Each structure stands twice: as structure tokens, then as C-alpha cells.
Amino acid sequence: MPFAQDESELPSPSSGSSSSGVTVTGSHPGDRYVRYVPANDLPLKPVGARYYVADVTAPKEGFGRLLYRLERVLIGRQLSWAEAKHERLNKVRALAILSSDAISSTAYATEEALRILVLAGLVGYSAMLSVGIAIVLLIAIVAFSYSQTIMAYPEGGGTYHVTLENLGKYPGLVAASALLIDYTMTVAVSISSGVAAVTSAFPSLYPYRVEIAVAAIAFITLVNLRGVRESGTVFVLPTYAFIVSMYVLLGLGFAAWLGILPLHPHPVRYPMPEAVQPLTLFLILRAFASGSSALTGVEAIANGIPIFKEPQTRNARITLVWMAGILATIFFGIHILTYHFHLVPSDEETIVSQLARTVVGESPFYYFIQAATAGILFLAAETAFADFPRLSYLLARDRFLPHHFRFQGDRLAFNTGILVLGVLTSLLVIIKQASVTALIPLYAVGAFSAFTFSQTGMVVHWWRMPDRHRHIHSMVINGIGAVATGIATIVIIITKFVYGAWMVIIIVPLLVAMMAAINHHYRSVAEQLRLSPIELRQRTKRPIRRSTTAVVPIASLNRASYWALEYARMIARDVTAVHVAVEPESGEILRKRWEEAGLDIPLVIVESPYRELIGPLVAVIEKIHREKGCPFLTVVIPEFVPAHWWERILHTQTAWRLRRVLSHIPDIAITGVPYHLVR
């Protein structure tokens, strides 16, 4: 059964403070796991709050020590809330971590557009430049529109946040669902395209493309579990290596074309497929839809403002301009040179590889280009690994996803979101056999739907401003963005519908329905558990009938925890409540409610800056047991029982974990006080 917690009182994480004092040490089992520094060295008071700072250290023996050391080697040392500000990124690192998806798409966007145009044979080339110009114009519109979003939402203008605030609950959920799908597809497409770059240079590896893709996903998942700053450091080199190598390649390509340098290009020739259909407007729109994959990831900077160093808004806007400029120039440069040399898409070799061999042959620089391309494509998934967990956290915070997604791990990373994304994309790559062509029809639908919702929401945002006349230009910019991305969304849905886009159109409503059901359940739970101040004041004092000592661990003051406290008062002479503050504000929220309720039960608040729950809780229970000097201690655990069995997976099983740990400690009895929910 879930540990009783009123979800309506869950705070948002932020930097907390810690107190200092005298270190308590000893040989007791609790001390080998957690050291406590009391705010003062006084015994527990009968009324009021007592603060401890948890300093989590490694177990010194057994299998636990081995697991702890392995975790530290793979993930790194634990980070406290106070270190969160040091995990923010400067513009150079932020460009690498938030723009790798958009910039890397230049490696396959031209190729995917050309694959559609060559269905009309050689005549398809006549529309290639028009498609490229339209996509570059769309890049400029979307980037300029998101610069307005950054100004309006300096705390992080994510598509979900903007849509939810300005258009309402269900449009917000649709936008969030579309983005979750887009982030999943981003990883699958980027990794598969990176594998294609590797197998283009080394054809013998083609049979192992799925294994290489899954290994790359596992590596990126592990890097992200180590935290934002470390992932930014890892991705700087491949991102900038690709940017530099592309600009050098494009420079050499144009110099050879114009005869500026004594280069003699030898275009790679693959057979032009026979025309299977005429060059129609529908075919051109299909090519535009496939080439628009170049825009996926453009919104990441507006979503990720919180990870920038101060001044966050200015740094984010500058990084957005850098990203848009790099994306547009590299994409259009590849587009023009591909058109000039009449390169033809092939399953055996990518367009970028063909272009590099055309300009520089199979020189060392060719292999450097392929390595840089594979590197950024593998690591372009980082944009999704940065934004998928953050979006999942926001949805969990608003009670649209299970609360598991909101908790941060040892390295201040949203571990659940990272692991879920890694598993989903691995399965997708295995099912589609790491084929970019098979994955592309599912791509971009989610991204452009999210673009449209976000820009429409921004128009509503400016319209609602009291001084809307001062923001007419911003309203016009976002309006143009909404119209342009809306048209692009319709084109993508129509042209890709029979090729796989129908799956996205079905999945989005299912995700929205699932999140709405989860939200309904959480609100029902919170409503049934919530205690009003009047109910607290009207409580009756029950006579003390026993001489035992009891400890009641609580997450918040609600119906379930209150009944557990009352039950403890009935069976015990000495009752102490314990709360572990895994999020900085939760302790202060509980302390204020405790004082407002006038409860005469001692409250111990344990600050846990490393977000450990069970370890600090067990250690303070053992400490109270020793300080009280009682031969036997009863731990009364408040729990609530969901109305349906399937609802249990939406809640953390803290009560069960606590029971399991406490059952191995002598002289401690465990009692559960269930509170049954009715709907």
C-alpha cells in the first residue's frame, strides 16, 4: 500500500538550506548508513520541530557496499540540492546539449526530402531548391517565434506550460503527448541515422546495426543519469566537431564548384531510380514534410531555460540565434551541393557520405567527417534525453503522470524519465531494425503539432496582456509562426498519414485519456485525504492507555496520517512524528501546518539534501529508540488503500519498503493503519 501523502501539498524542488551542529556517530547499524548533524545537542522536546541534516555515506559491509560502489562508479558522487545551481550550463555547453538534435538533423533532412522527389525521376530535381528554401524560411519563422516565447516565459516557456496556461487543460495534454512522442522518435531517428553514418564508412558493420544502436542508447542513458553538467561536457566535442567539419566540407564544395581552389570533385554516382509517379504538388508537399524533420528540436532551448546560467533569458536567446543560424546554413549548404552534384539517395550510403567522397575522396578528412556525423547523430538524442524527463516531471508535478517521474536521483537527474525513454527507444529501434526510412513517417508530426499549439498559446498570451497594444509586434510574430507551423502540420499529417502518421494520431488521444484518468485519480486521492483546519481543531483527545513508545513516519498532514497519529496516541504513552524532507520546502510546509493545527505531538523533521528517504527515516527511528531508552518501539505507518488494484502502480510503495527494512531490526514492532479510498 502507498505511504500516505496528500499530493496537493507536494512542493516543487528548489535549493534548500542546511543546518549545522555536532556530528552524532556510533557503532549502531543506523550510523553506518547515515550520519546526523543535529541543529542543537538538546534531547527531543515534547513540542515543536527538531531538524537534522542527513549526510548519506556508503554502507561499510556486505552486498550493499558493492552495489553502492558500482553506482558511484557508473553515476558519480551524490549531489545535494545546494549544488543544483552549479549544474547549470553556459552558452557553449547549452548549444551542444540543447541544439544537437536540430543541428544533427541536417545530416538526413535533405536525403529524406530527396528520397520523395526522386520518385518522379530526374525531373524531381527541379523542385529541390524550392523545397529547401521553404524549409529554411520555416526555420527562421519558428526560431523567431520562440525568441518571443523566451521573453514571455523566462522561467522556461515549454510548449506544455504555454499551451496549458493559455489554451487550457486538454490542448496542453495534446501538446505534451505530441512532444513525448516526438522526443521518443528523436532518439530513435538520431541513433539510427548515426548507425547509417557508421555503416556507410564501414559496410561490414551493417548486419550489426541494431546492436550498435541499442548500445548507443544505453551509453547516452548512462551519461544522462550522471547529471546535466556531465552530459553537456560529453556532448560538446562531437557537436562542435560536426559543425566545424560541415563548414569546412561546404567551404571546399563551393570553392570546387566556383573554381576558387584547384579541387577536382568526382561525384559519387548511384543509379537514378525510374520515375514511378509524376511530379505533382502532393509529391512536393511530401518532400517538404520529410525535409521538415530538420526543425525537430528547435523548441528545446525555449523549454530548457532553467538549465542556463544567469542571465538565463539573454543566454537562451543568444543560443537560439546561434542554433538557428547554424541549422539553416548547414542544411541549405548541403541542399545546394547535393542539387549541384546530382547525388542520389541510396540505402548503402548517406547523402553526407556521398557529398564528402565527392569533394575530398576517401581521404582522412572523409573519415573524420563520418566520425563527426556519427558522433553528433548518436548524441543528438541528448536533446530528447534533456527534455523528455523534464516534461515528464512537469506532467507528474501537475498530477498527469505517476509521481515516480518527479523525483530526482543522486545526480539531480530525473532518473525515471531517463530510464523510460531509454527503454522505449531501444524497443522502437529493435522493431524498426534501426531504419531511418521506416522511422521518418512517424517523425515530425508531434514536433509540428507542438509548435502550432505553442505559438497559438503565445498569441493568446499577448492578447490577454493588459497593455496588449504594446505587444502587437510579438502577437504578429507568434501569429505568423502559428499559421506557418499549422499549415506544415496539416501537410505532414496528410502526406504521411498512410505511411505511419496515423499511428501518432491514434496514440496522442490515448495518451491524453491516460493522463486525464491519472489526474482524476490523484485529485480523488487528495480530496479524500485532505484535512481542513476545522476538522483538526475539533479532534478529541483520547485517553492514554498504554506505556509503550511509538513513532509515526508521515509525508504530510492528511486524513491517513492523522488517523495513524490518533491510533498511536491510543496505544502509546510517548508518540513522536517523523518527516523526511526529500524536497526542500516540504519540511517547512509541514511545520506550519503542524503549528496551525496545534498538535501536541513532537515532530522531528529530517532534512535529506541527497533525497534519500528510507535510510534517513530508519536511522532517525533507531536514534529515537536509543534516546528514549525503551525496550520496545512501535512504528505506526499510515497507509491508504486505492479503490482499484491498478491504481497502486501510480503510487510509490514507500510503506512496503519501510516495512521490509524495519523488519530486520530487533525490538521494533510495525503496525499499519490503512485508510481506504472509496473511488
Side-chain angles (χ1 to χ4, degrees), residues 70 129 153 175 225 234 278 353 370 396 423 444-445 491 496 568 570 621 666:
L70 179 62
L129 290 183
Y153 290 89
L225 290 173
V234 170
S353 175
Q370 288 303 99
V423 171
V445 177
V491 168
K496 291 187 174 185
M570 293 177 63
I621 289 172

Side-chain angles (χ1 to χ4, degrees), residues 106 110 128-129 132 136 246-247 249-251 253-254 257 325-341 343 351 355:
T106 59
T110 294
M128 188 173 175
L129 290 183
V136 169
M246 284 297 101
Y247 277 128
L249 175 63
L250 294 177
F254 282 110
W257 179 9
I326 293 169
L327 171 61
T329 53
I330 293 180
F331 167 77
F332 202 55
I334 294 174
H335 213 77
I336 292 175
L337 290 179
T338 300
Y339 174 80
H340 172 70
F341 292 118
L343 303 179
I351 286 292
L355 181 59

Side-chain angles (χ1 to χ4, degrees), residues 46 111 141 182 186 195 232-233 279 440 464 526 651:
E111 179 172 349
I141 291 173
D182 178 61
T186 291
V195 171
T233 301
L279 182 64
I440 280 292
R464 288 176 175 173
H651 301 275

Side-chain angles (χ1 to χ4, degrees), residues 202-220:
F202 304 99
S204 60
L205 295 177
Y206 184 79
Y208 307 102
R209 61 194 183 281
V210 175
E211 290 83 353
I212 297 172
V214 172
I217 293 172
F219 171 76
I220 298 172

Side-chain angles (χ1 to χ4, degrees), residues 636-648:
V636 179
I637 303 176
E639 305 168 86
F640 64 84
V641 183
H644 306 97
W645 65 267
W646 56 266
E647 294 173 335
R648 296 186 181 185

Side-chain angles (χ1 to χ4, degrees), residues 391-592:
L391 176 58
S392 300
Y393 156 76
L394 293 173
L395 289 166
R397 184 197 63 185
D398 294 340
R399 296 181 287 188
F400 291 115
L401 282 182
H403 286 313
H404 309 73
F405 286 93
R406 66 169 292 158
F407 299 124
Q408 290 178 263
D410 292 343
R411 300 286 296 180
L412 296 171
F414 297 109
N415 289 2
T416 303
I418 292 170
L419 292 171
V420 167
L421 181 59
V423 171
L424 287 177
T425 51
S426 295
L427 292 175
L428 192 57
V429 163
I430 293 171
I431 292 170
K432 294 295 184 179
Q433 291 293 292
S435 170
V436 178
T437 303
L439 291 166
I440 280 292
L442 304 174
Y443 205 25
V445 177
F448 275 87
S449 301
F451 291 165
T452 305
F453 276 110
S454 177
Q455 298 311 307
T456 305
M458 286 303 303
V459 173
V460 175
H461 169 79
W462 297 123
W463 178 258
R464 288 176 175 173
M465 297 288 283
D467 52 346
R468 69 179 67 147
H469 64 278
R470 297 179 55 188
H471 302 285
I472 292 296
H473 67 287
S474 296
M475 197 183 306
V476 170
I477 292 170
N478 288 124
I480 294 173
V483 171
T485 55
I487 293 172
T489 302
I490 295 171
V491 168
I492 291 170
I493 290 174
I494 293 175
T495 58
K496 291 187 174 185
F497 185 84
V498 297
Y499 300 99
W502 62 269
M503 295 175 61
V504 178
I505 297 170
I506 290 176
I507 292 172
V508 166
L510 292 177
L511 286 176
V512 170
M514 180 195 74
M515 289 190 283
I518 290 173
N519 182 259
H520 174 75
H521 168 74
Y522 280 140
R523 289 186 179 278
S524 175
V525 170
E527 180 183 344
Q528 294 182 64
L529 292 178
R530 189 175 293 112
L531 264 175
S532 68
I534 296 176
E535 289 177 293
L536 282 169
R537 294 192 194 100
Q538 292 176 344
R539 71 188 188 281
T540 58
K541 293 187 176 181
R542 292 174 171 79
I544 298 173
R545 305 185 182 186
R546 297 290 184 270
S547 60
T548 57
T549 299
V551 172
V552 184
I554 62 173
S556 62
L557 188 56
N558 54 49
R559 290 186 183 277
S561 57
Y562 178 68
W563 302 145
L565 289 169
E566 289 293 279
Y567 176 79
R569 287 163 56 91
M570 293 177 63
I571 66 170
R573 171 183 54 82
D574 188 350
V575 179
T576 302
V578 177
H579 171 76
V580 177
V582 294
E583 295 179 325
E585 292 91 347
S586 65
E588 184 62 20
I589 291 173
L590 180 59
R591 184 189 65 79
K592 289 180 179 178

